[in-house]
DNA sequence: TCCCCGCTCGGAAACGTTTCCACGTGCGCG
DNA sequence: CGCGCACGTGGAAACGTTTCCGAGCGGGGA
């Protein structure tokens, strides 16, 4: 692969001139410009970004660490963030932590070693260590969808209380008084926040406060199915269930349908299939792509030396069932 | 952020010694090892990977260009590939081309500028130019799920003919004689191959050869719905439809259900929701994660100077409906 | 006792850029 | 006619590594 020296030699100028021409520095003669461009084209020259970033301070790369690409919510978020970065002339490096702190740590180390310009991450449960060490190393960090205690970084989240409230009042209005919750793992902030918001609103509305109506799960499909079965085994069983993410909803839906029980399911995150099943699921929609885009804007602001504030996004109830 | 010089100064040794200790070179005294490790820990030193890769030939980063992260098939493939890379001690940089050649080209340029060790890509329609220029620049490339004319790179694909055959014989055995196809875009090789396999097998089995039973779509949800409506508008309408990917199947399913017609739908790619809808969909399962892993192994082999052959993977019929 | 060898280590070059500095050259103006 | 200035350019330093080369030093064998 050819270097700037090859181009300089072919064009008959110094490497300084090549660099100036290619970076659009006006201190170049039309003739040099012509010769250099010609030579670069002929050699198929692509500047070595790693050498550039060694000299320059910045790399133009933004690290994006996502809990699980296969979860459509995060895939959408990543996509939104990526589009925003692209529009700002930056390239994104997506890491898939797979809900595993060890893998996350590994990618964060890689980001750090690569000296990315900033990191956008939806942290894993386990520990806040990874994120904290990035912040302490002076790397701009924005947190996605989940907060992390003791880490000084802006966060973009959805309004958990609002979402839960929309779901519960909807179910209450439809006559339900005994509502179950399939909660995400308490190791992530969203999981914990949902549980407390659920308990608070349930009490405000005077609904059945039985603690066994709150079932913890791991956020995956199988966990959702298991939690749903535990709820169905209660006597009396809840007449409605709220599930905290799309993956768990799919497991819960199958379990409920398999049991033949008449239990109404409401899910966080809207997915195409939720409209297709019978009965269709009412959902608390969270615009993940928008969240990703907003977070990326915050990160870019942070990189440029700003001090952006955290953002809370609204949720929306889509009633179907 | 501290450099190797800072570590050397604090440990009271030369930078050469620091480098040797940290890279595990045995030509170091126990005392140096101790002092260097201590200093590095104290400073929170992380070697600058960009400087390393400038000196070394390799970067340890593999570029992964995917058609669309939000398509679960590709998300799974990316995940499989990533796991494999991780196991081989490499880090993956995921680019989401979004089924857009311009974005793909941009990412491929970035990969090239970053001097990644290799690129695994599922090419967009448009043109083969991006992939070809990588190959010509001497960068190891493996193609995922789609071939590209005139590009000298190994490919990992599913056995298109086998999949189509499984689907059609299944439908034939259930008594269907007039079967529609919702095909992916003909701009990608898989789209074209499916159409010709469909036509060939349909004729071999003596089924209705009407050309309007093959409807082209863009591979997205909306396109699938439109194509399904065109098929339903035929008279007589087909009694069964084969849809080429999960996104289009979801659109087609909704269109068919909305029309009230009794049309059996079979889809490529298995997704959770296909089991949940009523009636459940029979599918031609393609193990995307496995495809990703296989392709990554091929790429690693190519990077190490091998000459791997292209691989064709089997498909599997899961009969449900 | 002397030489040689092996072990550690420091110094320096090299990787491919960008940018500062200094040096012509040509022109306009006093 | 000569001086200064703008403009274009080449050379060199610097970014943070790795690795080669050579040197110092100690010990063991002849």
């Amino acid at each position: 692969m050819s270097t700037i020296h090859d181009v300089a030699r072919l064009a008959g100028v110094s490497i300084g001139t090549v660099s100036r021409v290619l970076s659009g520095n006006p201190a170049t003669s039309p003739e040099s410009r012509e010769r250099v461009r010609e030579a670069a084209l002929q050699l198929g020259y692509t500047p070595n970004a790693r050498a550039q970033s060694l000299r320059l301070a910045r790399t133009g790369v933004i690290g994006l660490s996502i809990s699980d690409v296969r979860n459509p919510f995060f895939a959408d978020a990543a996509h939104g963030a990526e589009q925003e970065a692209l529009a700002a002339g930056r390239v994104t490096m997506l890491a898939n932590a797979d809900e595993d702190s060890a893998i996350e740590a590994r990618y964060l180390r890689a980001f750090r070693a690569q000296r990315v310009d900033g990191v956008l991450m939806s942290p894993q449960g386990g520990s806040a260590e990874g994120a904290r060490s990035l912040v302490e190393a002076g790397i701009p960090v924005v947190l996605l969808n989940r907060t992390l205690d003791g880490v000084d970084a802006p966060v973009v989240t959805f309004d958990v209380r609002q979402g839960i409230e929309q779901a519960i009042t909807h179910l209450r209005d439809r006559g339900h008084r005994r509502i179950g919750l399939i909660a995400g793992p308490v190791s992530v902030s969203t999981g914990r926040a949902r549980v407390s918001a659920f308990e608070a609103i349930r009490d405000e509305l005077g609904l059945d406060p039985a603690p066994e109506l709150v079932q913890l799960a791991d956020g995956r499909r199988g966990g959702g199915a298991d939690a749903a079965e535990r709820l169905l085994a209660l006597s009396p069983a809840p007449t409605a269930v709220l599930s905290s993410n799309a993956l768990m909803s799919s497991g819960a839906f199958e379990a409920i349908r398999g049991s033949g029980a008449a239990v109404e399911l409401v899910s966080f995150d809207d997915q195409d299939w939720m409209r297709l099943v019978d009965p269709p699921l009412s959902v608390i929609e969270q615009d993940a792509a928008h969240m990703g885009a907003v977070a990326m804007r915050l990160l870019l602001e942070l990189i440029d030396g700003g001090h952006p504030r955290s953002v809370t996004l609204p949720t929306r109830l889509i009633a179907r069932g």
Side-chain angles (χ1 to χ4, degrees), chain A:
Chain A
M1 191 157 282
S2 50
T3 74
I4 200 173
H5 289 96
D6 301 324
V7 178
R9 203 174 313 124
L10 185 58
V13 296
S14 75
I15 61 165
T17 300
V18 174
S19 174
R20 276 184 289 262
V21 168
L22 265 27
S23 65
N25 187 317
T28 50
S29 68
E31 194 198 332
S32 300
R33 280 198 283 274
E34 171 63 23
R35 297 168 62 94
V36 168
R37 277 196 230 289
E38 167 65 25
L41 204 63
Q42 191 176 328
L43 292 173
Y45 170 68
T46 308
N48 184 327
R50 314 184 84 88
Q52 282 180 324
S53 67
L54 192 58
R55 180 61 226 258
L56 272 25
R58 55 194 302 192
T59 62
V61 177
I62 288 178
L64 198 50
S65 170
I66 288 299
S67 304
D68 185 358
V69 246
R70 290 171 305 173
N71 181 337
F73 176 78
F74 287 114
D76 284 346
H79 184 249
E82 185 185 26
Q83 293 291 103
E84 197 68 27
L86 226 40
R90 310 214 178 212
V91 163
T92 252
M93 182 167 158
L94 209 180
N96 177 29
D98 218 17
E99 300 283 6
D100 178 332
S101 305
I103 297 182
E104 177 185 59
R106 186 157 170 187
Y107 274 120
L108 294 186
R109 263 198 304 277
F111 283 163
R112 189 169 166 178
Q114 296 288 339
R115 303 294 193 267
V116 295
D117 290 342
V119 172
L120 191 59
M121 59 183 290
S122 64
Q124 304 310 315
S127 111
E129 210 33 64
R132 180 151 43 219
S133 77
L134 285 181
V135 172
E136 279 167 8
I139 298 175
V141 172
V142 170
L143 265 24
L144 204 59
N145 197 46
R146 300 173 175 177
T147 66
L148 227 38
D149 288 342
V151 175
D152 181 26
V155 192
V156 179
T157 45
F158 285 100
D159 188 333
V160 171
R161 201 191 139 85
Q162 180 190 27
I164 295 277
E165 189 167 11
Q166 288 167 338
I168 299 190
T169 54
H170 171 72
L171 289 172
R172 196 260 328 255
D173 293 348
R174 288 171 63 82
H176 296 285
R177 292 203 24 89
R178 188 166 164 81
I179 302 173
L181 172 70
I182 300 179
V186 287
S187 59
V188 305
S189 66
T190 323
R192 289 190 298 274
R194 293 231 175 101
V195 169
S196 38
F198 179 85
E199 291 169 345
I201 294 165
R202 174 197 63 192
D203 295 346
E204 287 169 23
L205 296 181
L207 303 176
D208 190 337
E212 66 270 23
L213 287 175
V214 174
Q215 291 289 339
L216 301 181
D218 62 1
R220 295 171 182 263
R221 194 184 140 69
D226 295 345
E229 278 172 12
R230 287 197 300 274
L231 286 172
L232 293 169
L234 297 177
S235 61
T239 60
V241 169
L242 174 58
S243 160
S244 296
N245 78 29
L247 258 34
M248 292 195 299
S249 299
S250 114
F253 182 88
E254 197 165 16
I256 292 171
R257 198 186 50 184
S259 77
V263 172
E264 177 159 3
L265 182 62
V266 173
S267 176
F268 270 85
D269 306 338
D270 191 22
Q271 308 276 272
D272 286 335
W273 66 264
M274 297 179 181
R275 229 181 17 249
L276 302 181
V277 294
D278 186 32
L281 267 45
S282 296
V283 297
I284 304 300
E285 183 200 47
Q286 305 187 112
D287 188 340
H290 182 234
M291 172 183 73
V294 167
M296 183 57 78
R297 272 202 292 276
L298 255 45
L299 181 57
L300 293 170
E301 205 179 320
L302 195 61
I303 291 173
D304 290 341
H307 295 282
R309 298 280 304 144
S310 292
V311 172
T312 302
L313 267 21
T315 60
R316 191 163 69 94
L317 171 75
I318 302 180
R320 291 205 183 101

